[in-house]
């Protein structure tokens, strides 16, 4: 995955540089993802690199005159610029291209995910009132994540502009903030859950910062002073600490004047030396968020002389560590004693634990799709899928897990909101289609479109991946460039296939320059897309099937054994969708090893009846988030039920497929396929494509989920025979007729 970070990379500021370094380092070295910081320079962003202030206020003019005649300050200022520029080039993985507001709108940098933060990127004053920091330049991009990680607002957003910020936040998929006080307003304006998280510097360990730091060889005990603007309160605080300790003052001075009469007045200090000055200090006096943060990391005795504004970020930081007594008023300074100067960190780790915990958390069972992206992504094979109830769910081997987080990074249910970008429907094309080969069309479930696509892919030298049964009737995805795969993957299989190792195998093939056609359920195509780097995506064609849900492999196994015991013969062939009476007649057919053939209406088959009643689906199927027009797969295929109502002239007795092309790649591939095709209006098609768009009410969903849970509970305590004979018998012909009438009325509506 390629991740681009948008932050204040231009700032000649220690905290800005170090938080950007921490976040990019964490993504690259801890999460093992490709990462760059966008070199974005908004208007006036170069102000911190200019020794002269802008403006014509008397105070600014006098300051600039002082600077003009202060040769030493100018020399040190230029030296600091050089030091900071060197640090930026060493510590930050910047994009080669430098962007302005105009250029980033015209030619935005490409990535799988964009992260804004941390620092005050949502401070509408400091970010120059720039919507770039809300990723408005990515509006037209599909299948990208837009994430806010620990941005700081600092100055509250004025209520007069809330509607404007509401529009900005609508582009964000996942939002977290650095200050706890910002959570309510951002949640209110975004309508999304907002998480309170730590600043990126806390993502790296104390040992990491210790190794990065550089000493300045100050051998004496000293008080380190670093202030973003020096007020009288700051001067009084430093003088009080010096009075009580007698220690030297080391001042990292950002101003032309030194109000502390420092023993060491420093300016040309690198970010690495900045960390070293904090690490080696006996006491730290500051009003800086990041100076306070590093003081906490190194467990320093530190004091904060707050500014007269924007102190929410300091308060949030203190609260996070249970250090609410570090912000000093004049009254507290006057009453300070030497005994009160030691910071009590005894509860800091306990308070911070919920924020710092690097715990791997799999998705809840109710939302797990069973796609197995997590097990494919795990570099230590620590994730296994085990039967839990009627379905398989992931478990983690804690002894071998290295907590790299890759499993969480590829899990779509953990990131529902970012997996369905808008704007696809307008670019999609809808077709009715079927295979020109009559035999292949008849053998297929609907129109034989999958066969035609696989044939074209193999003809072009591609690999094809689809679901196939093995000799023991276990369903798994297989990958091959041999023509025999077409027959193996042909037809519907109302089960979820095992994809363990499949996505990883496809990634290897793509790395080797091969092209692959993948056919699977929406959650499987989504999973594969998550597991494949964007640089390899152009060699992968994703084809998803319109899915009604997947059934329990446990029930399938028991059902199969029941049939074989009843007929006293193994199953040789099983057809979930027989066309013996035509495409529109839903029938089940199977052939036994002893030659006996069974062909019955689907409603008379208990497995298919339970399927139709949603008794044995995964819970995630009943909560399915993929039933939407906002899809990203290149091609979508399925039964075109009801096509006769909108195209009565078409001969579709042998089966017809709907084909939806979502991308130029999918469209060009489909056009090349040898099949009969007719373009259909989307408004007409969507009325009859069963299972494509979810129109089920939440109340009805919950009723079905409750029924499903009851079925699972009963199944755990009863035999298969008892379940279908006593508790959940198949429907009667009269019920079947009623269902047909209701479905007809649904189509007419």
């Amino acid at each position: 995955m390629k991740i681009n970070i948008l932050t204040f990379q231009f700032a000649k500021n220690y905290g800005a540089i170090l938080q950007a370094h921490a976040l990019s380092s964490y993504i690259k070295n801890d999460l093992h993802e490709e990462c760059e910081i966008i070199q974005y320079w908004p208007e006036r962003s170069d102000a911190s690199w200019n020794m002269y202030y802008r403006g014509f206020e008397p105070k600014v003019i006098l300051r600039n005159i002082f600077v003009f005649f202060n040769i030493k300050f100018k020399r040190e200022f230029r030296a600091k610029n050089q030091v900071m520029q060197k640090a930026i080039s060493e510590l930050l993985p910047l994009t080669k291209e430098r962007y302005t507001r105009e250029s980033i709108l015209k030619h935005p940098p490409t990535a799988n995910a964009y992260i804004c933060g941390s620092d005050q990127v949502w401070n509408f004053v400091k970010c120059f009132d720039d919507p770039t920091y809300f990723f408005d330049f990515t509006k037209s991009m599909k299948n990208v994540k837009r994430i806010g990680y620990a941005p700081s607002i600092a100055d509250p957003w004025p209520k007069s502009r809330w509607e404007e910020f509401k529009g900005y936040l609508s582009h964000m998929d996942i939002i977290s903030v650095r200050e706890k006080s910002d959570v309510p307003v951002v949640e209110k304006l975004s309508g999304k859950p907002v998480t309170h998280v730590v600043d990126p510097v806390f993502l790296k360990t104390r040992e990491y910062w210790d190794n990065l730091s550089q000493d300045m060889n100050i051998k004496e005990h000293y008080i380190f002073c670093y202030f973003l603007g020096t007020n009288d309160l700051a001067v009084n605080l430093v003088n009080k600490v010096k009075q009580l300790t007698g220690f030297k003052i080391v001042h990292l001075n950002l101003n032309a004047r030194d109000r502390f009469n420092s023993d060491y007045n420093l300016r040309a200090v690198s970010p690495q030396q900045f960390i070293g000055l904090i690490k080696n200090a006996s006491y730290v006096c500051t009003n800086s968020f990041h100076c306070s943060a590093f003081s906490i990391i190194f467990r320093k005795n530190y004091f904060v002389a707050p500014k007269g504004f924007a102190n929410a970020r300091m308060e949030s930081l203190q609260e996070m560590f249970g250090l609410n007594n570090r912000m000093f008023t004049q009254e507290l300074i006057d009453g300070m004693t030497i005994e009160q100067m030691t910071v009590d960190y005894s509860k800091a780790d306990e308070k911070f634990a919920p924020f710092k915990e690097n715990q791997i958390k799999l998705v809840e069972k109710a939302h797990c799709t069973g796609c197995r992206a997590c097990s494919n992504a795990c570099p230590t094979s620590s994730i296994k899928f085990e039967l839990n109830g009627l379905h398989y769910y992931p478990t983690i081997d804690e002894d071998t897990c290295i907590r790299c987080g890759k499993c969480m990074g590829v899990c779509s249910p953990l990131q529902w909101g970012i997996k369905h970008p808008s704007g696809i429907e307008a670019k999609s094309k809808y077709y009715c289609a079927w295979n020109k080969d009559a035999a292949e069309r008849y053998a297929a479930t609907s129109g034989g479109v999958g066969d035609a696509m696989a044939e074209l892919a193999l003809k072009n030298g591609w690999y094809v991946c689809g679901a196939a049964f093995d000799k023991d009737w276990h369903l798994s995805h297989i990958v091959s460039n041999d023509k025999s795969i077409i027959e193996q993957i042909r037809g519907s299989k109302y089960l979820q296939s095992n994809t363990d190792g499949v996505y990883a195998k496809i990634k290897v093939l793509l790395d080797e320059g091969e092209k692959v056609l993948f056919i699977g359920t929406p959650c499987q195509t989504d999973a594969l897309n998550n597991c494949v780097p964007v640089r390899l995506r152009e060699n992968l064609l994703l084809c998803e099937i319109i899915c009604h849900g997947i059934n329990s492999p446990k029930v399938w196994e028991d059902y199969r054994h029941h049939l074989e015991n009843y007929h006293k013969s193994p199953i040789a062939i099983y057809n979930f969708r027989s066309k013996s009476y035509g495409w529109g007649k839903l029938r089940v057919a199977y052939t036994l090893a002893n030659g006996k053939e069974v062909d019955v209406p689907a409603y008379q088959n208990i497995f298919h009846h339970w399927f139709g009643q949603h008794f044995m689906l995964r819970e995630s199927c009943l909560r399915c988030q993929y039933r939407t027009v906002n899809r990203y797969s290149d091609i979508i295929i399925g039964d075109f039920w009801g096509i006769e109502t909108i195209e009565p002239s078409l001969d579709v007795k042998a089966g017809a497929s709907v084909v939806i092309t979502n991308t130029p790649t999918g469209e060009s591939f489909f056009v090349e396929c040898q099949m009969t095709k007719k373009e259909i209006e989307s408004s007409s098609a969507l009325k009859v494509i069963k299972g494509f768009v979810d129109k089920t009410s939440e109340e009805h969903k919950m009723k079905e989920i409750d029924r499903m849970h009851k079925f699972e509970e009963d199944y755990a305590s009863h035999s298969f025979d008892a379940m279908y004979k006593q508790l959940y018998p198949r429907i009667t012909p009269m019920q079947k007729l009623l269902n047909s009438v209701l479905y007809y009325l649904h189509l007419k509506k």
Side-chain angles (χ1 to χ4, degrees):
M1 178 183 286
K2 170 69 178 300
I3 299 174
N4 280 347
I5 298 172
L6 193 61
T7 188
F8 290 160
Q9 91 297 328
F10 54 80
K12 190 183 60 180
N13 176 280
Y14 297 104
I17 295 172
L18 291 171
Q19 66 82 20
H21 169 74
L23 184 57
S24 59
S25 174
Y26 183 78
I27 292 171
K28 182 180 179 181
N29 299 319
D30 296 85
L31 300 182
H32 308 287
E33 300 289 355
E34 186 181 354
C35 176
E36 281 189 321
I37 295 175
I38 301 172
Q39 199 175 174
Y40 177 59
W41 289 74
E43 187 182 356
R44 306 194 312 274
S45 58
D46 60 347
S48 65
W49 295 86
N50 194 330
M51 69 179 72
Y52 297 105
Y53 287 178
R54 295 179 181 179
F56 298 97
E57 297 86 355
K59 187 177 180 179
V60 173
I61 294 173
L62 289 173
R63 189 262 181 199
N64 288 341
I65 293 173
F66 177 82
V67 169
F68 181 80
F69 291 102
N70 194 330
I71 298 174
K72 180 182 178 184
F73 172 78
K74 290 194 288 186
R75 183 173 64 248
E76 291 175 345
F77 190 94
R78 294 189 184 99
K80 180 183 179 181
N81 279 357
Q82 292 176 354
V83 167
M84 298 296 271
Q85 189 58 62
K86 182 174 183 292
I88 289 172
S89 63
E90 291 176 349
L91 297 176
L92 304 184
L94 300 175
T95 58
K96 292 181 180 179
E97 186 170 352
R98 176 168 168 159
Y99 295 89
T100 62
R101 173 64 179 168
E102 183 180 3
S103 65
I104 203 168
L105 287 172
K106 289 183 179 178
H107 306 289
T110 58
N112 301 92
Y114 297 84
I115 297 178
C116 64
S118 175
D119 219 339
Q120 299 181 51
V121 293
W122 285 358
N123 182 331
F124 80 102
V125 175
K126 287 188 180 293
C127 72
F128 315 108
D129 213 359
D130 190 345
T132 303
Y133 292 99
F134 297 88
F135 302 128
D136 70 330
F137 62 91
T138 68
K139 284 182 184 178
S140 62
M141 297 182 183
K142 300 189 300 182
N143 197 33
V144 299
K145 306 174 184 178
R146 302 168 183 88
I147 303 166
Y149 181 80
S152 175
I153 295 175
D155 299 298
W157 291 336
K159 290 187 178 182
S160 60
R161 301 193 53 190
W162 275 15
E163 285 300 315
E164 186 179 350
F165 285 111
K166 187 182 294 184
Y168 292 163
L169 292 168
S170 66
H171 305 304
M172 306 300 297
D173 298 303
I174 298 177
I175 305 175
S176 64
V177 291
R178 195 178 69 182
E179 278 72 69
K180 187 178 180 180
S181 59
D182 292 334
V183 172
V185 68
V186 179
E187 279 191 340
K188 180 177 181 178
L189 296 183
S190 68
K192 302 179 176 80
V194 176
T195 308
H196 179 212
V197 297
V198 298
D199 186 271
V201 299
F202 293 107
L203 297 176
K204 307 299 288 186
T205 64
R206 174 177 175 172
E207 290 72 25
Y208 179 86
W209 294 117
D210 195 6
N211 292 330
L212 188 68
S213 69
Q214 295 177 2
D215 292 345
M216 297 198 69
N217 297 316
I218 301 175
K219 304 300 183 183
E220 308 165 272
H221 288 288
Y222 63 86
I223 305 162
F224 177 61
C225 302
Y226 179 70
F227 290 90
L228 305 174
T230 306
N231 56 19
D232 291 341
L233 188 66
V235 174
N236 295 337
L237 173 65
V238 173
N239 288 336
K240 183 69 173 185
V241 177
K242 181 177 176 64
Q243 176 190 334
L244 291 172
T245 63
F247 294 164
K248 302 289 187 181
I249 295 176
V250 175
H251 183 198
L252 180 50
N253 193 0
L254 304 180
N255 305 305
R257 225 172 24 124
D258 178 17
R259 294 188 63 186
F260 301 122
N261 297 315
S262 309
D263 299 281
Y264 297 87
N265 186 39
L266 308 176
R267 287 197 175 92
V269 171
S270 71
Q272 298 93 322
Q273 291 171 324
F274 171 76
I275 300 171
L277 285 168
I278 297 171
K279 181 185 74 173
N280 296 319
S282 298
Y283 297 93
V284 177
C285 296
T286 188
N287 60 6
S288 156
F289 177 92
H290 283 103
C291 186
S292 298
F294 281 106
S295 297
I296 294 170
I297 289 172
F298 290 108
R299 296 298 192 258
K300 294 292 152 180
N301 296 316
Y302 78 104
F303 311 88
V304 176
K307 295 180 287 186
F309 58 93
N311 290 312
R313 58 202 184 110
M314 299 296 293
E315 293 168 355
S316 182
L317 178 64
Q318 315 304 319
E319 183 182 349
M320 188 178 293
F321 288 90
L323 304 172
N324 299 330
N325 60 343
R326 302 324 301 163
M327 298 181 68
F328 283 77
T329 62
Q330 187 59 56
E331 183 180 0
L332 291 173
I333 293 171
D334 293 338
M336 186 189 299
T337 64
I338 191 69
E339 292 79 18
Q340 298 171 332
M341 295 177 63
T342 301
V343 179
D344 181 8
Y345 284 103
S346 60
K347 296 182 179 180
D349 290 334
E350 181 183 346
K351 288 278 292 185
F352 187 59
F355 300 93
K356 187 179 180 182
E357 189 176 37
N358 187 21
Q359 181 182 358
I360 300 303
K361 182 181 179 183
L362 298 176
V363 69
E364 295 178 4
K365 181 180 176 182
H367 299 285
C368 175
T369 64
C371 69
R372 306 200 182 211
C374 54
S375 60
N376 274 265
C378 181
T380 58
S381 301
S382 298
I383 298 178
K384 305 293 184 184
F385 274 72
E386 298 178 355
L387 190 64
N388 184 351
L390 297 183
H391 295 273
Y392 285 86
Y393 296 93
T395 60
I396 299 176
D397 185 342
E398 297 292 346
D399 294 332
T400 59
C401 175
I402 60 175
R403 289 165 174 69
C404 64
K406 287 190 173 185
C407 55
M408 299 172 68
V410 298
C411 179
S412 291
L414 288 176
Q415 314 160 40
W416 276 132
I418 63 179
K419 304 309 296 182
H420 309 284
S422 60
I424 297 179
E425 184 187 6
K427 299 178 182 179
S428 299
K429 291 186 177 181
Y430 295 75
Y431 297 89
C432 175
W434 56 81
N435 200 311
K436 291 182 177 180
D437 187 307
E440 290 188 0
R441 183 183 179 190
Y442 180 80
T445 298
S446 52
V449 169
D451 283 12
M453 292 176 59
E455 286 176 359
L456 177 60
L458 294 170
K459 179 182 176 182
N460 292 340
W462 293 25
Y463 282 78
V464 173
C465 183
F469 283 114
D470 64 13
K471 62 182 180 59
D472 296 317
W473 291 100
H474 298 142
L475 189 64
S476 301
H477 259 67
I478 59 174
V479 186
S480 176
N481 60 354
D482 189 274
K483 195 172 182 179
S484 63
I485 193 175
I486 296 178
E487 186 175 352
Q488 291 177 273
I489 67 175
R490 177 183 292 144
S492 293
K493 305 160 185 81
Y494 297 135
L495 300 163
Q496 185 164 43
S497 61
N498 185 340
T499 56
D500 275 340
V502 173
Y503 309 144
K505 184 176 181 179
I506 291 174
K507 184 181 176 202
V508 171
L509 289 172
L510 297 174
D511 258 326
E512 293 173 349
E514 303 289 351
K515 292 189 174 183
V516 179
L517 165 65
F518 179 87
I519 304 173
T521 62
C523 50
Q524 289 174 332
T525 56
D526 195 1
L528 177 56
N529 190 59
N530 292 342
C531 293
V532 172
V534 68
R535 60 185 174 84
L536 303 176
R537 183 63 172 80
E538 63 181 2
N539 286 339
L540 175 65
L541 188 74
L542 293 175
C543 175
E544 72 176 65
I545 60 174
I546 296 175
C547 178
H548 186 71
I550 51 95
N551 294 298
S552 163
K554 164 70 174 168
V555 178
W556 164 250
E557 186 96 350
D558 293 343
Y559 164 72
R560 183 173 57 81
H561 287 315
H562 165 79
L563 290 182
E564 292 179 339
N565 291 334
Y566 179 81
H567 294 288
K568 296 180 173 54
S569 176
I571 295 173
I573 301 171
Y574 196 96
N575 191 341
F576 287 81
R577 287 272 305 280
S578 171
K579 290 183 180 177
S580 56
Y581 285 69
W583 171 57
K585 305 293 184 180
L586 300 181
R587 299 184 68 85
V588 180
Y590 54 89
T591 303
L592 302 160
N594 62 12
K596 184 176 180 179
E597 297 181 354
V598 178
D599 189 333
V600 298
Y603 75 89
Q604 292 183 9
N605 180 282
I606 193 62
F607 185 85
H608 287 256
H609 168 55
W610 287 349
F611 172 34
Q613 296 298 307
H614 299 171
F615 288 149
M616 54 179 178
L617 299 182
R618 292 182 80 95
E619 185 169 347
S620 62
C621 296
L622 299 175
R623 302 177 184 272
C624 183
Q625 301 294 306
Y626 296 100
R627 292 184 180 178
T628 169
V629 295
N630 297 326
R631 307 276 184 119
Y632 67 89
S633 294
D634 301 292
I635 299 175
I636 301 170
I637 61 175
D639 287 287
F640 208 144
W641 299 120
I643 182 62
E644 66 275 5
T645 65
I646 57 175
E647 293 290 333
S649 62
L650 295 178
D651 180 16
V652 295
K653 294 179 181 178
S657 299
V658 61
V659 179
I660 306 168
T661 60
N662 286 329
T663 65
T665 303
E667 173 69 14
S668 62
F669 183 89
F670 172 66
V671 169
E672 193 179 344
C673 288
Q674 296 300 306
M675 64 183 79
T676 303
K677 54 181 80 79
K678 179 179 176 63
E679 189 168 357
I680 305 286
E681 289 290 330
S682 63
S683 58
S684 300
L686 290 173
K687 290 181 181 179
V688 296
I689 303 174
K690 189 178 181 181
F692 187 65
V693 180
D694 187 9
K695 297 181 179 179
T696 309
S697 68
E698 285 301 315
E699 182 181 4
H700 185 72
K701 283 183 185 178
M702 292 312 300
K703 286 182 179 179
E704 288 200 320
I705 290 172
D706 290 341
R707 281 178 23 191
M708 180 269 296
H709 285 161
K710 182 64 168 62
F711 180 90
E712 186 171 18
E713 182 183 327
D714 289 340
Y715 203 96
S717 55
H718 293 81
S719 67
F720 179 87
D721 286 350
M723 288 292 290
Y724 90 88
K725 288 181 179 179
Q726 303 170 23
L727 299 179
Y728 297 89
R730 56 181 175 263
I731 61 175
T732 64
M734 184 59 68
Q735 289 174 309
K736 193 264 183 180
L737 177 63
L738 179 60
N739 288 345
S740 298
V741 171
L742 291 173
Y743 181 57
Y744 175 78
L745 293 174
H746 169 71
L747 292 181
K748 294 293 286 183
K749 184 173 68 174

